[in-house]
Structure formats: structure tokens, C-alpha cells
Amino acid sequence: MIYNEEFETLPREALEALQVKRLQQVVQRVYHTVGFYKRAFDNAGVKPDDIRSLDDLKRFPFTTKQDLRDNYPYGLFAVPMSSVVRVHASSGTTGRSTVVGYTKRDIETWSELMARCFVMAGLTKNDIIHNAYGYGLFTGGLGAHYGAEKLGASVIPISGGNTKRQIMILQDFGPTAICATPSYTLYLAEQGEEMGVDMRALKLRVGVLGAEPWSEKMRQEIENKLDITALDIYGLSEVMGPGVAMECLEAKQGLHIFEDHFIAEIINPETGEVLPEGEVGELVFTTVTKEAFPLIRYRTRDVSRLVKAPCRCGRTLVRMDRVTGRSDDMLIIRGVNVFPSQIEGVLLNIPGIEPHYMLVVDREGNLDTLEVQVEVGEKVFAETGEVKVLQQLSRRITKDIKDYLGVSTKVKLVEPKTIQRFEGKAKRVIDKRTI
Ligand code: DLL
């Protein structure tokens, strides 16, 4: 089944003609409504009229996460706030995270794209969807929720956390599909087993899983433990949220990008050069229908590959490979995006510690763990042999990181001068996860 037969199966020529038309409109619009784009285009010596074909897009400048931060919170919005009906944000709970906005029509578009994803996963209005993506500033919860309602399915808005209750609801409410991060899905499966629940006997049939990188091996584990088909969903707040691309049930080979709304390019992250189809590089998206927060050539930092070959499911939409990594240092810890520099920012505001730290990321029982090792200042160390003071310090660090970035950590205070020093680029992260 295909939710929007017309737009998901357009012949490539017609699809590209539609993209060019929409691209011309959005480029005109941002040039005249968002100061940032006017300056960026002027600096690059390009004008909105320069778009005559899709190929002309590569002459336009990139937009980066830094640009979003520099224009925090609403500087890149292309409509007045009176037309914005929702905001979301990624990376952390406060501070200069990236803030995105939606008009009423943007929410409708997003809901449709999420509905397309659910249908791509074989779901209908007769399904009951257990939505364990977090509700709040994160786009996962509400994004999936609106899409499920648009489809007419029944949503259980359980959100994240409270695992025992989730398992009870999985048994009692009889959901046929689950939305969650792949690592949390595995965790749920294992916790259920530990509680003596036969997790394969639940009514669950499909998982629509994403928001973090995962592997074929994890897919098999999830499918075995829950007796479901596990499919990959991709998205990012800046571009929309979940539902930028989705894997189809029929082929399970690559994620279809909704090209009537987003133009995808793959670039060499070092040079910015556009790479030919089939080569691995950094994904770049241009949104062509968004009203509140259009983005031109946004560098996602996600590493993937594009394949235009026809798909068994009948959709003509280009497919991207599952995202295996990033071309920057962003970490995804239990679905929360964290940059080492943000943790550094929190640490620098706490008296008594040194700006020498190391982040150790691991996975215990399918849940990510983050340990922050940080040096105590000489003075504090010399003056306070007292364990209590050190405990207080460590609690403060844990609390501040949780408050500012929304991620739980284990803090390990270490003696002065014990964390490795680097002559060149500092290595701040040890990621031990094997996914
Ligand atoms: O994670 C949106 C989302 C919610 C996608 C629910 C899928 C399901 P952000 O919090 O802005 O948005 O994080 C976006 O997460 O740039 C990728 O690095 C990573 N990511 C998202 N989906 C996948 C996936 C949401 N399927 C960032 N595989 C992106 C690998 C993913 N990485």
C-alpha cells in the first residue's frame, strides 16, 4: 500500500520538474524574507533567478548548525510568529540548541509524511501504535503522534521511560506497532523477558525505529526477540523531524526520501563538492515546501549514500542507505543529541574543576551510558581530603549536565593531571559501543 500514490510514484522527470518549480519558489521566498539568506546569497554571488535546473542548486551556499545557533532562536524563521503554531528544539533542554518552527500547513505536511511512513511499514487505520518516542521539544513523540492520527490509527502516547509500565501496556492494550529508538526497543524486549513476559507472544507486528544509528545485527536481534519486522525511520528536527525518509516493508533496503518535499545531495564533507549518485558522503537537504523554517542546503553531518534504482515497492523516490555515522563529533546518547563542547560548556561553569575531561560512552544491557571523567583542581584536591566535598561536586556536575543537556551521566572525578594531554586536536570521547 502507498499513502500518496500520486506523489510517491512520480516518474523521475515529473518529480524533478516539480522539485525545480518548488525550489525556485523557496529560494525566492527566503531571499526576500530571511536576512541571513539574503546576505549568504549575496556573498556567494548568486541570485534566486539563478535556479533554472536542479543542477544550479550546487552554486548556492550551505547552511550549517552553527548558522542556526548564530540565529538562535527565531532568526531563520521565514514567517512572523503569529503564523507559527509549534516550535521544537534539538540538543539539550536549554542553551543554544537549534530551534525550529512550523506553520499550520507545515504540521499538516509533516503529519502526511509520517502517515506515509506508517503505510510504508504496512500499517493501516486498524493498527494500534505504541508511541515510545519522547513527547516534548524532541520531534519524535509529537511527529509520530500526528502521523498516526492522520492515518486514523489508534495512538498510545506513552512517551519514553517508565519501562515496567510500558511492558504492562504492551501486554494489556495490544498495540500492533511500536515507535521507539532501536536501543530502547531492545531494552524493552529484554526487560520484558526478565519480568517473565513472553515478548514474542505480544500482538506487536512492526517497529518503526530510528533517531539513532543502528545496524543489521541489531535489527535481527529486535526482530527475534519481539517477533516483529523492524524498519528504519530517519529524520532531523532542522529538516522537519521524523519522516524525512523511511524504509519500506517490501524491500527493506534503504530509506525512501520524500523528494517532493526535500531535495537530497551527497557531498564530500572535506571539500563541499557534490558527489555522484552511489558515492558515500555527507547528506545535505533543501526543504522545498516548508513555510516557517525553510532550509537551503543544510549540512546534516550524517553519512550515507543515495540510490535512484527502482524499488520493488513501486515508489520512485530515491533511497538513502542507513546512516552509519557522522562527519562531526555529535553523540547520540539514549536518543539525546550531545556535542562534547556542550558538556565542556557546563563543566567550565563549575568552580573547583579543571577543563580537562574525557567522555566514555558505552552500552550496558542495550542502554547507552555516559561517564564524564573530569579533573579536580589542585586547590580543591589539596584542601579537601574530604570525601563529602568531592561527592557534592560530582552531584553538582551530574545535575548540571542533566539540567542543561537532558542527559544522565556518571561522573568520575580524577586527580589533577591524570587525564591525557594532547598536542594536537584533543580526543575527548571514547565510544565503546558496538551496534
Ligand atoms: O532524531 C528525529 C527522529 C525522531 C527521527 C524519531 C526518527 C525517529 P533530532 O533529535 O534532531 O531528530 O536528531 C537528528 O539523529 O541528524 C541523525 O544523526 C540521527 N538519526 C535520526 N534518525 C536516524 C536513523 C530526530 N534512522 C539526528 N539512523 C540525525 C541513524 C539517525 N541516525
PDB file of all heavy atoms in Angstrom, residues 119-153:
ATOM      1  N   VAL A 119       2.303   3.805   6.505  1.00  0.00           N
ATOM      2  CA  VAL A 119       1.760   2.954   5.446  1.00  0.00           C
ATOM      3  C   VAL A 119       2.903   2.171   4.785  1.00  0.00           C
ATOM      4  O   VAL A 119       2.758   0.998   4.437  1.00  0.00           O
ATOM      5  CB  VAL A 119       0.954   3.792   4.427  1.00  0.00           C
ATOM      6  CG1 VAL A 119       0.560   2.956   3.219  1.00  0.00           C
ATOM      7  CG2 VAL A 119      -0.290   4.367   5.103  1.00  0.00           C
ATOM      8  N   MET A 120       4.066   2.822   4.679  1.00  0.00           N
ATOM      9  CA  MET A 120       5.230   2.142   4.110  1.00  0.00           C
ATOM     10  C   MET A 120       5.634   0.946   4.972  1.00  0.00           C
ATOM     11  O   MET A 120       6.226  -0.020   4.502  1.00  0.00           O
ATOM     12  CB  MET A 120       6.394   3.131   4.028  1.00  0.00           C
ATOM     13  CG  MET A 120       7.214   2.969   2.774  1.00  0.00           C
ATOM     14  SD  MET A 120       8.656   4.045   2.728  1.00  0.00           S
ATOM     15  CE  MET A 120       8.007   5.538   2.076  1.00  0.00           C
ATOM     16  N   ALA A 121       5.288   1.032   6.252  1.00  0.00           N
ATOM     17  CA  ALA A 121       5.599  -0.067   7.176  1.00  0.00           C
ATOM     18  C   ALA A 121       4.452  -1.075   7.234  1.00  0.00           C
ATOM     19  O   ALA A 121       4.447  -1.980   8.072  1.00  0.00           O
ATOM     20  CB  ALA A 121       5.863   0.506   8.570  1.00  0.00           C
ATOM     21  N   GLY A 122       3.454  -0.888   6.371  1.00  0.00           N
ATOM     22  CA  GLY A 122       2.360  -1.861   6.310  1.00  0.00           C
ATOM     23  C   GLY A 122       1.238  -1.606   7.307  1.00  0.00           C
ATOM     24  O   GLY A 122       0.405  -2.473   7.553  1.00  0.00           O
ATOM     25  N   LEU A 123       1.193  -0.396   7.887  1.00  0.00           N
ATOM     26  CA  LEU A 123       0.158  -0.116   8.885  1.00  0.00           C
ATOM     27  C   LEU A 123      -1.069   0.533   8.238  1.00  0.00           C
ATOM     28  O   LEU A 123      -0.970   1.172   7.189  1.00  0.00           O
ATOM     29  CB  LEU A 123       0.706   0.805   9.974  1.00  0.00           C
ATOM     30  CG  LEU A 123       1.966   0.297  10.702  1.00  0.00           C
ATOM     31  CD1 LEU A 123       2.416   1.291  11.755  1.00  0.00           C
ATOM     32  CD2 LEU A 123       1.705  -1.065  11.342  1.00  0.00           C
ATOM     33  N   THR A 124      -2.206   0.368   8.887  1.00  0.00           N
ATOM     34  CA  THR A 124      -3.454   0.969   8.419  1.00  0.00           C
ATOM     35  C   THR A 124      -4.174   1.600   9.619  1.00  0.00           C
ATOM     36  O   THR A 124      -3.669   1.554  10.740  1.00  0.00           O
ATOM     37  CB  THR A 124      -4.421  -0.085   7.830  1.00  0.00           C
ATOM     38  OG1 THR A 124      -4.871  -0.921   8.916  1.00  0.00           O
ATOM     39  CG2 THR A 124      -3.754  -0.937   6.764  1.00  0.00           C
ATOM     40  N   LYS A 125      -5.377   2.101   9.353  1.00  0.00           N
ATOM     41  CA  LYS A 125      -6.134   2.715  10.452  1.00  0.00           C
ATOM     42  C   LYS A 125      -6.562   1.683  11.488  1.00  0.00           C
ATOM     43  O   LYS A 125      -6.989   2.035  12.588  1.00  0.00           O
ATOM     44  CB  LYS A 125      -7.325   3.503   9.920  1.00  0.00           C
ATOM     45  CG  LYS A 125      -8.446   2.681   9.310  1.00  0.00           C
ATOM     46  CD  LYS A 125      -9.445   3.661   8.719  1.00  0.00           C
ATOM     47  CE  LYS A 125     -10.697   3.039   8.186  1.00  0.00           C
ATOM     48  NZ  LYS A 125     -11.464   2.205   9.113  1.00  0.00           N
ATOM     49  N   ASN A 126      -6.428   0.425  11.154  1.00  0.00           N
ATOM     50  CA  ASN A 126      -6.802  -0.614  12.118  1.00  0.00           C
ATOM     51  C   ASN A 126      -5.705  -0.929  13.121  1.00  0.00           C
ATOM     52  O   ASN A 126      -5.893  -1.756  14.017  1.00  0.00           O
ATOM     53  CB  ASN A 126      -7.185  -1.899  11.379  1.00  0.00           C
ATOM     54  CG  ASN A 126      -8.388  -1.675  10.486  1.00  0.00           C
ATOM     55  OD1 ASN A 126      -9.296  -0.936  10.861  1.00  0.00           O
ATOM     56  ND2 ASN A 126      -8.382  -2.259   9.303  1.00  0.00           N
ATOM     57  N   ASP A 127      -4.553  -0.296  12.946  1.00  0.00           N
ATOM     58  CA  ASP A 127      -3.449  -0.593  13.863  1.00  0.00           C
ATOM     59  C   ASP A 127      -3.494   0.252  15.129  1.00  0.00           C
ATOM     60  O   ASP A 127      -4.062   1.340  15.140  1.00  0.00           O
ATOM     61  CB  ASP A 127      -2.116  -0.401  13.132  1.00  0.00           C
ATOM     62  CG  ASP A 127      -1.800  -1.597  12.250  1.00  0.00           C
ATOM     63  OD1 ASP A 127      -1.420  -2.637  12.808  1.00  0.00           O
ATOM     64  OD2 ASP A 127      -1.973  -1.490  11.009  1.00  0.00           O
ATOM     65  N   ILE A 128      -2.874  -0.297  16.164  1.00  0.00           N
ATOM     66  CA  ILE A 128      -2.723   0.441  17.433  1.00  0.00           C
ATOM     67  C   ILE A 128      -1.220   0.689  17.597  1.00  0.00           C
ATOM     68  O   ILE A 128      -0.427  -0.257  17.574  1.00  0.00           O
ATOM     69  CB  ILE A 128      -3.256  -0.375  18.629  1.00  0.00           C
ATOM     70  CG1 ILE A 128      -4.723  -0.759  18.387  1.00  0.00           C
ATOM     71  CG2 ILE A 128      -3.088   0.410  19.928  1.00  0.00           C
ATOM     72  CD1 ILE A 128      -5.309  -1.648  19.498  1.00  0.00           C
ATOM     73  N   ILE A 129      -0.857   1.963  17.713  1.00  0.00           N
ATOM     74  CA  ILE A 129       0.570   2.310  17.719  1.00  0.00           C
ATOM     75  C   ILE A 129       1.024   2.752  19.106  1.00  0.00           C
ATOM     76  O   ILE A 129       0.516   3.723  19.663  1.00  0.00           O
ATOM     77  CB  ILE A 129       0.852   3.411  16.663  1.00  0.00           C
ATOM     78  CG1 ILE A 129       0.433   2.903  15.254  1.00  0.00           C
ATOM     79  CG2 ILE A 129       2.326   3.807  16.682  1.00  0.00           C
ATOM     80  CD1 ILE A 129       0.577   3.935  14.144  1.00  0.00           C
ATOM     81  N   HIS A 130       1.992   2.013  19.645  1.00  0.00           N
ATOM     82  CA  HIS A 130       2.595   2.325  20.948  1.00  0.00           C
ATOM     83  C   HIS A 130       3.735   3.310  20.669  1.00  0.00           C
ATOM     84  O   HIS A 130       4.776   2.931  20.143  1.00  0.00           O
ATOM     85  CB  HIS A 130       3.127   0.997  21.526  1.00  0.00           C
ATOM     86  CG  HIS A 130       3.770   1.097  22.863  1.00  0.00           C
ATOM     87  ND1 HIS A 130       3.120   0.780  24.039  1.00  0.00           N
ATOM     88  CD2 HIS A 130       5.035   1.418  23.232  1.00  0.00           C
ATOM     89  CE1 HIS A 130       3.943   0.916  25.068  1.00  0.00           C
ATOM     90  NE2 HIS A 130       5.110   1.300  24.609  1.00  0.00           N
ATOM     91  N   ASN A 131       3.499   4.570  21.001  1.00  0.00           N
ATOM     92  CA  ASN A 131       4.492   5.592  20.627  1.00  0.00           C
ATOM     93  C   ASN A 131       5.398   5.932  21.805  1.00  0.00           C
ATOM     94  O   ASN A 131       5.064   6.757  22.646  1.00  0.00           O
ATOM     95  CB  ASN A 131       3.770   6.841  20.115  1.00  0.00           C
ATOM     96  CG  ASN A 131       4.738   7.892  19.605  1.00  0.00           C
ATOM     97  OD1 ASN A 131       5.919   7.593  19.362  1.00  0.00           O
ATOM     98  ND2 ASN A 131       4.271   9.110  19.440  1.00  0.00           N
ATOM     99  N   ALA A 132       6.578   5.298  21.817  1.00  0.00           N
ATOM    100  CA  ALA A 132       7.508   5.489  22.938  1.00  0.00           C
ATOM    101  C   ALA A 132       8.591   6.523  22.626  1.00  0.00           C
ATOM    102  O   ALA A 132       9.564   6.637  23.364  1.00  0.00           O
ATOM    103  CB  ALA A 132       8.135   4.156  23.327  1.00  0.00           C
ATOM    104  N   TYR A 133       8.423   7.272  21.526  1.00  0.00           N
ATOM    105  CA  TYR A 133       9.331   8.414  21.332  1.00  0.00           C
ATOM    106  C   TYR A 133       8.933   9.483  22.335  1.00  0.00           C
ATOM    107  O   TYR A 133       7.757   9.656  22.648  1.00  0.00           O
ATOM    108  CB  TYR A 133       9.185   8.996  19.917  1.00  0.00           C
ATOM    109  CG  TYR A 133       9.784   8.137  18.829  1.00  0.00           C
ATOM    110  CD1 TYR A 133       9.038   7.751  17.722  1.00  0.00           C
ATOM    111  CD2 TYR A 133      11.117   7.723  18.905  1.00  0.00           C
ATOM    112  CE1 TYR A 133       9.595   6.977  16.716  1.00  0.00           C
ATOM    113  CE2 TYR A 133      11.675   6.939  17.911  1.00  0.00           C
ATOM    114  CZ  TYR A 133      10.911   6.567  16.821  1.00  0.00           C
ATOM    115  OH  TYR A 133      11.468   5.808  15.843  1.00  0.00           O
ATOM    116  N   GLY A 134       9.942  10.229  22.818  1.00  0.00           N
ATOM    117  CA  GLY A 134       9.676  11.234  23.832  1.00  0.00           C
ATOM    118  C   GLY A 134       8.790  12.363  23.306  1.00  0.00           C
ATOM    119  O   GLY A 134       8.988  12.852  22.199  1.00  0.00           O
ATOM    120  N   TYR A 135       7.801  12.746  24.110  1.00  0.00           N
ATOM    121  CA  TYR A 135       6.963  13.912  23.778  1.00  0.00           C
ATOM    122  C   TYR A 135       7.621  15.134  24.403  1.00  0.00           C
ATOM    123  O   TYR A 135       8.102  15.074  25.531  1.00  0.00           O
ATOM    124  CB  TYR A 135       5.555  13.740  24.362  1.00  0.00           C
ATOM    125  CG  TYR A 135       4.671  12.804  23.536  1.00  0.00           C
ATOM    126  CD1 TYR A 135       4.967  11.449  23.441  1.00  0.00           C
ATOM    127  CD2 TYR A 135       3.547  13.285  22.867  1.00  0.00           C
ATOM    128  CE1 TYR A 135       4.164  10.596  22.697  1.00  0.00           C
ATOM    129  CE2 TYR A 135       2.727  12.441  22.128  1.00  0.00           C
ATOM    130  CZ  TYR A 135       3.042  11.099  22.041  1.00  0.00           C
ATOM    131  OH  TYR A 135       2.254  10.258  21.307  1.00  0.00           O
ATOM    132  N   GLY A 136       7.612  16.229  23.686  1.00  0.00           N
ATOM    133  CA  GLY A 136       8.207  17.452  24.229  1.00  0.00           C
ATOM    134  C   GLY A 136       8.901  18.202  23.131  1.00  0.00           C
ATOM    135  O   GLY A 136       8.443  18.189  21.981  1.00  0.00           O
ATOM    136  N   LEU A 137      10.020  18.832  23.475  1.00  0.00           N
ATOM    137  CA  LEU A 137      10.743  19.592  22.453  1.00  0.00           C
ATOM    138  C   LEU A 137      11.307  18.681  21.373  1.00  0.00           C
ATOM    139  O   LEU A 137      11.467  19.075  20.224  1.00  0.00           O
ATOM    140  CB  LEU A 137      11.870  20.401  23.101  1.00  0.00           C
ATOM    141  CG  LEU A 137      11.423  21.664  23.831  1.00  0.00           C
ATOM    142  CD1 LEU A 137      12.620  22.356  24.474  1.00  0.00           C
ATOM    143  CD2 LEU A 137      10.717  22.630  22.882  1.00  0.00           C
ATOM    144  N   PHE A 138      11.633  17.451  21.741  1.00  0.00           N
ATOM    145  CA  PHE A 138      12.079  16.444  20.777  1.00  0.00           C
ATOM    146  C   PHE A 138      10.944  16.209  19.773  1.00  0.00           C
ATOM    147  O   PHE A 138       9.776  16.129  20.166  1.00  0.00           O
ATOM    148  CB  PHE A 138      12.417  15.157  21.544  1.00  0.00           C
ATOM    149  CG  PHE A 138      12.814  13.989  20.674  1.00  0.00           C
ATOM    150  CD1 PHE A 138      13.867  14.101  19.777  1.00  0.00           C
ATOM    151  CD2 PHE A 138      12.146  12.776  20.766  1.00  0.00           C
ATOM    152  CE1 PHE A 138      14.239  13.017  18.993  1.00  0.00           C
ATOM    153  CE2 PHE A 138      12.511  11.690  19.986  1.00  0.00           C
ATOM    154  CZ  PHE A 138      13.564  11.820  19.092  1.00  0.00           C
ATOM    155  N   THR A 139      11.307  16.052  18.499  1.00  0.00           N
ATOM    156  CA  THR A 139      10.272  15.933  17.464  1.00  0.00           C
ATOM    157  C   THR A 139       9.650  14.539  17.357  1.00  0.00           C
ATOM    158  O   THR A 139       8.605  14.387  16.717  1.00  0.00           O
ATOM    159  CB  THR A 139      10.869  16.268  16.081  1.00  0.00           C
ATOM    160  OG1 THR A 139      12.068  15.499  15.932  1.00  0.00           O
ATOM    161  CG2 THR A 139      11.179  17.745  15.937  1.00  0.00           C
ATOM    162  N   GLY A 140      10.312  13.542  17.974  1.00  0.00           N
ATOM    163  CA  GLY A 140       9.870  12.160  17.791  1.00  0.00           C
ATOM    164  C   GLY A 140       8.438  11.895  18.238  1.00  0.00           C
ATOM    165  O   GLY A 140       7.622  11.370  17.475  1.00  0.00           O
ATOM    166  N   GLY A 141       8.116  12.279  19.475  1.00  0.00           N
ATOM    167  CA  GLY A 141       6.811  11.964  20.051  1.00  0.00           C
ATOM    168  C   GLY A 141       5.655  12.570  19.268  1.00  0.00           C
ATOM    169  O   GLY A 141       4.806  11.867  18.715  1.00  0.00           O
ATOM    170  N   LEU A 142       5.647  13.898  19.201  1.00  0.00           N
ATOM    171  CA  LEU A 142       4.520  14.557  18.531  1.00  0.00           C
ATOM    172  C   LEU A 142       4.495  14.287  17.033  1.00  0.00           C
ATOM    173  O   LEU A 142       3.422  14.177  16.436  1.00  0.00           O
ATOM    174  CB  LEU A 142       4.556  16.067  18.800  1.00  0.00           C
ATOM    175  CG  LEU A 142       4.080  16.447  20.207  1.00  0.00           C
ATOM    176  CD1 LEU A 142       4.404  17.897  20.513  1.00  0.00           C
ATOM    177  CD2 LEU A 142       2.578  16.207  20.356  1.00  0.00           C
ATOM    178  N   GLY A 143       5.674  14.151  16.425  1.00  0.00           N
ATOM    179  CA  GLY A 143       5.731  13.863  14.988  1.00  0.00           C
ATOM    180  C   GLY A 143       5.017  12.560  14.671  1.00  0.00           C
ATOM    181  O   GLY A 143       4.127  12.498  13.816  1.00  0.00           O
ATOM    182  N   ALA A 144       5.396  11.503  15.382  1.00  0.00           N
ATOM    183  CA  ALA A 144       4.785  10.198  15.136  1.00  0.00           C
ATOM    184  C   ALA A 144       3.302  10.227  15.525  1.00  0.00           C
ATOM    185  O   ALA A 144       2.451   9.629  14.861  1.00  0.00           O
ATOM    186  CB  ALA A 144       5.517   9.112  15.925  1.00  0.00           C
ATOM    187  N   HIS A 145       2.988  10.944  16.588  1.00  0.00           N
ATOM    188  CA  HIS A 145       1.614  11.026  17.076  1.00  0.00           C
ATOM    189  C   HIS A 145       0.673  11.597  16.005  1.00  0.00           C
ATOM    190  O   HIS A 145      -0.356  11.007  15.681  1.00  0.00           O
ATOM    191  CB  HIS A 145       1.575  11.902  18.332  1.00  0.00           C
ATOM    192  CG  HIS A 145       0.233  11.958  18.985  1.00  0.00           C
ATOM    193  ND1 HIS A 145      -0.041  11.270  20.141  1.00  0.00           N
ATOM    194  CD2 HIS A 145      -0.908  12.598  18.620  1.00  0.00           C
ATOM    195  CE1 HIS A 145      -1.317  11.487  20.461  1.00  0.00           C
ATOM    196  NE2 HIS A 145      -1.851  12.291  19.566  1.00  0.00           N
ATOM    197  N   TYR A 146       1.047  12.743  15.462  1.00  0.00           N
ATOM    198  CA  TYR A 146       0.196  13.381  14.452  1.00  0.00           C
ATOM    199  C   TYR A 146       0.062  12.518  13.208  1.00  0.00           C
ATOM    200  O   TYR A 146      -0.998  12.473  12.579  1.00  0.00           O
ATOM    201  CB  TYR A 146       0.738  14.771  14.086  1.00  0.00           C
ATOM    202  CG  TYR A 146       0.230  15.860  15.020  1.00  0.00           C
ATOM    203  CD1 TYR A 146       0.466  15.779  16.386  1.00  0.00           C
ATOM    204  CD2 TYR A 146      -0.481  16.949  14.530  1.00  0.00           C
ATOM    205  CE1 TYR A 146      -0.002  16.764  17.239  1.00  0.00           C
ATOM    206  CE2 TYR A 146      -0.954  17.937  15.378  1.00  0.00           C
ATOM    207  CZ  TYR A 146      -0.711  17.836  16.734  1.00  0.00           C
ATOM    208  OH  TYR A 146      -1.171  18.809  17.575  1.00  0.00           O
ATOM    209  N   GLY A 147       1.161  11.835  12.848  1.00  0.00           N
ATOM    210  CA  GLY A 147       1.117  10.972  11.663  1.00  0.00           C
ATOM    211  C   GLY A 147       0.180   9.805  11.872  1.00  0.00           C
ATOM    212  O   GLY A 147      -0.593   9.427  10.981  1.00  0.00           O
ATOM    213  N   ALA A 148       0.221   9.238  13.070  1.00  0.00           N
ATOM    214  CA  ALA A 148      -0.638   8.093  13.376  1.00  0.00           C
ATOM    215  C   ALA A 148      -2.105   8.516  13.352  1.00  0.00           C
ATOM    216  O   ALA A 148      -2.964   7.815  12.818  1.00  0.00           O
ATOM    217  CB  ALA A 148      -0.265   7.523  14.744  1.00  0.00           C
ATOM    218  N   GLU A 149      -2.365   9.699  13.909  1.00  0.00           N
ATOM    219  CA  GLU A 149      -3.751  10.193  13.895  1.00  0.00           C
ATOM    220  C   GLU A 149      -4.215  10.488  12.475  1.00  0.00           C
ATOM    221  O   GLU A 149      -5.361  10.207  12.108  1.00  0.00           O
ATOM    222  CB  GLU A 149      -3.876  11.462  14.749  1.00  0.00           C
ATOM    223  CG  GLU A 149      -3.902  11.148  16.233  1.00  0.00           C
ATOM    224  CD  GLU A 149      -4.299  12.349  17.079  1.00  0.00           C
ATOM    225  OE1 GLU A 149      -4.455  13.462  16.536  1.00  0.00           O
ATOM    226  OE2 GLU A 149      -4.440  12.169  18.303  1.00  0.00           O
ATOM    227  N   LYS A 150      -3.301  11.058  11.674  1.00  0.00           N
ATOM    228  CA  LYS A 150      -3.644  11.374  10.283  1.00  0.00           C
ATOM    229  C   LYS A 150      -4.048  10.089   9.545  1.00  0.00           C
ATOM    230  O   LYS A 150      -4.989  10.078   8.765  1.00  0.00           O
ATOM    231  CB  LYS A 150      -2.423  12.014   9.613  1.00  0.00           C
ATOM    232  CG  LYS A 150      -2.562  12.272   8.144  1.00  0.00           C
ATOM    233  CD  LYS A 150      -3.001  13.689   7.900  1.00  0.00           C
ATOM    234  CE  LYS A 150      -3.199  13.965   6.424  1.00  0.00           C
ATOM    235  NZ  LYS A 150      -3.935  15.200   6.218  1.00  0.00           N
ATOM    236  N   LEU A 151      -3.326   9.024   9.843  1.00  0.00           N
ATOM    237  CA  LEU A 151      -3.639   7.747   9.205  1.00  0.00           C
ATOM    238  C   LEU A 151      -4.969   7.201   9.729  1.00  0.00           C
ATOM    239  O   LEU A 151      -5.644   6.427   9.058  1.00  0.00           O
ATOM    240  CB  LEU A 151      -2.498   6.758   9.516  1.00  0.00           C
ATOM    241  CG  LEU A 151      -2.634   5.326   9.039  1.00  0.00           C
ATOM    242  CD1 LEU A 151      -2.696   5.288   7.513  1.00  0.00           C
ATOM    243  CD2 LEU A 151      -1.459   4.483   9.525  1.00  0.00           C
ATOM    244  N   GLY A 152      -5.311   7.604  10.940  1.00  0.00           N
ATOM    245  CA  GLY A 152      -6.545   7.096  11.533  1.00  0.00           C
ATOM    246  C   GLY A 152      -6.303   5.918  12.452  1.00  0.00           C
ATOM    247  O   GLY A 152      -7.245   5.283  12.945  1.00  0.00           O
ATOM    248  N   ALA A 153      -5.018   5.619  12.700  1.00  0.00           N
ATOM    249  CA  ALA A 153      -4.689   4.529  13.628  1.00  0.00           C
ATOM    250  C   ALA A 153      -4.947   5.011  15.058  1.00  0.00           C
ATOM    251  O   ALA A 153      -5.160   6.199  15.287  1.00  0.00           O
ATOM    252  CB  ALA A 153      -3.219   4.145  13.450  1.00  0.00           C
TER     253      ALA A 153
END
